[in-house]
Amino acid sequence: MAPMNTFFWVLLSFAALFAAATALGTWLEARAGDTIKVAWIHQLNVRIRASWLIPLLFAIAFALGSAAVVLVFAVASFLALREFVALTPIKPSDYWALIVAFYVAIPVQYLLIAAGWYVGFAVFIPVYLFLVLPVIMAWRQDVERYLERVAKVQWGLMISVYCVSHAPAIATLRIPGFEGRSAMLLLYFLLVLQASELLAVIVSAAIGRTPLKSNPNKSREGVAIGGGAAILIGASLWWMTPFSWWQSLLMAAAIAIAGFLGGLVLSAVKRSLGARAPVASDSVQLGRGMLDRLDALAFAAPVFFHLTLFFFAR
C-alpha cells in the first residue's frame, strides 16, 4: 500500500477509536452518581477530548503538508513559554531578552526544523542563545537576582521551545528504506505518548490506590500499568515505523519513561515558581494549561528523536 494510503487509513482508524472512547466517556459521566467518580470520569473525558488533537493535527498535515505541523508546534511553544514567563518574576530590564525569546528564538528554531537543518536547530538555542541572552540582560546593568532571572528565561526556552521542537523534527528524519514516511513516525510517537498518559489516568481512576504527589490525577499503580500497556501498544504498532517489533517495544518504553519523568520534573518546576500546589488526593485537579499538556512531550520528544537519529537515520 502506498504511504499516503496507509497514512489515510491509520488516521481514519484512530479517529474512529477516539470517537468511540469519547462516546463511552460521555455515557459513563452521565450515569456516574458518586461525586468523586464523576470528577475522575470528567478528567478522563478532558484527556480523551485532548487526544483528538492527534488525528486533527495529522489531517491538517495530510491536507496542507508538513509545514502545517511545524506551525502548530510553534504556536504551542509560544503559548507554553508565555505560561512559563507568567509564573516567573519579570523585571522591566528583562524586556529585550523576552522579545528575543518570543519573536526571534521561536521563529528561527522552527524555520530551521522546517528546512531540515539538524545541526542548526540542535545548537541554536542551547549554544548561541545560551550565550546571547545573558549578555542582553547584563547590558541593562540590573544585577539584582541576575543569575536567577537568566536561568529562568533559559530554562523556559529549553523546555517550551527547544525540547518541544523535537516533536515536529521527528518528521524530518531521513531513514534508509523509510523515505517519505517520516510523518508516520511522528504519529507513532504521539500515539504511544498519549496512550501512556491516557491509560495512566484510566487505570488510576479504576484501581489506583496511591496518588502521586506530583499529580493527584495519577497513581503509582496507574502509571505502572498504563505505561506497560502503552509499551505493548507501541510494540504492536511496529509496522508504522522502521523498527522491528522488539525495537519498537524498546522505543515505546523510552517514550513512556521519559514522558513520566517530564511530568515529574515540570510539576516540580511549576511549584517552585509558585504555581498552585496539587489538590488533595480525595479530589481531582481539572485545570490544565499548555505546560501541563506538553510536560511529557518536552522530555520524550528529544529522547525519541535522538535515539532514532543515532540508531536508524543517516
Side-chain angles (χ1 to χ4, degrees):
M1 187 181 293
M4 295 305 286
N5 287 338
T6 302
F7 197 63
F8 173 78
W9 285 111
V10 168
L11 283 177
L12 188 62
S13 299
F14 281 108
L17 180 62
F18 289 144
T22 301
L24 178 61
T26 303
W27 181 76
L28 289 174
E29 186 173 357
R31 291 179 58 88
D34 181 75
T35 304
I36 301 300
K37 190 174 182 180
V38 168
W40 276 111
I41 296 175
H42 178 74
Q43 172 65 11
L44 175 60
N45 287 336
V46 169
R47 293 293 187 100
I48 292 173
R49 286 192 289 271
S51 300
W52 276 99
L53 179 63
I54 296 175
L56 177 61
L57 177 64
F58 281 89
I60 293 171
F62 184 79
L64 303 179
S66 58
V69 177
V70 174
L71 179 60
V72 168
F73 278 101
V75 172
S77 284
F78 182 92
L79 295 176
L81 183 59
R82 186 178 67 174
E83 184 179 337
F84 190 97
V85 169
L87 297 173
T88 307
I90 298 298
K91 302 188 68 177
S93 54
D94 300 333
Y95 176 77
W96 286 107
L98 293 176
I99 289 292
V100 171
F102 280 99
Y103 300 110
V104 176
I106 294 176
V108 171
Q109 179 72 5
Y110 282 94
L111 284 173
L112 291 172
I113 289 171
W117 188 19
Y118 165 70
V119 175
F121 89 76
V123 302
F124 173 62
I125 290 177
V127 176
Y128 294 103
L129 282 185
F130 178 83
L131 299 175
V132 168
L133 286 176
V135 173
I136 294 173
M137 296 176 74
W139 197 263
R140 302 300 298 271
Q141 301 294 312
D142 184 353
V143 296
E144 183 182 356
R145 305 178 71 178
Y146 169 76
L147 181 59
E148 180 182 346
R149 287 161 36 222
V150 169
K152 287 178 178 178
V153 173
Q154 290 179 330
W155 240 90
L157 267 179
M158 285 297 294
I159 291 295
S160 304
V161 182
Y162 182 72
C163 290
V164 171
S165 70
H166 280 76
I170 293 169
T172 69
L173 288 168
R174 294 184 289 271
I175 302 173
F178 203 67
E179 291 83 359
R181 291 183 288 171
S182 293
M184 293 285 287
L185 194 58
L186 176 56
L187 180 58
Y188 165 85
F189 164 77
L190 291 174
L191 288 171
V192 172
L193 183 65
Q194 187 64 30
S196 176
E197 291 288 293
L198 191 57
L199 290 172
V201 175
I202 293 173
V203 176
S204 297
I207 64 171
R209 295 292 182 271
T210 313
L212 298 177
K213 292 182 179 179
S214 60
N215 186 350
N217 296 325
K218 297 179 183 177
S219 67
R220 294 178 183 176
E221 298 84 356
V223 169
I225 297 173
I231 292 170
L232 294 178
I233 290 172
S236 70
L237 295 176
W238 63 269
W239 50 271
M240 294 175 58
T241 73
F243 317 139
S244 64
W245 71 267
W246 64 268
Q247 291 170 333
S248 183
L249 185 145
L250 293 177
M251 295 296 267
I255 293 170
I257 293 170
F260 167 72
L261 295 177
L264 183 68
V265 170
L266 264 294
S267 175
V269 169
K270 287 179 291 184
R271 282 183 286 164
S272 73
L273 292 175
R276 183 170 60 88
V279 296
S281 60
D282 59 347
S283 59
V284 178
Q285 186 178 6
L286 297 178
R288 302 187 75 223
M290 185 57 70
L291 281 175
D292 291 308
R293 297 184 186 280
L294 295 178
D295 53 6
L297 184 143
F299 268 51
V303 170
F304 181 76
F305 176 87
H306 287 286
L307 286 175
T308 306
L309 178 70
F310 183 80
F311 290 108
F312 298 96
R314 278 197 281 254

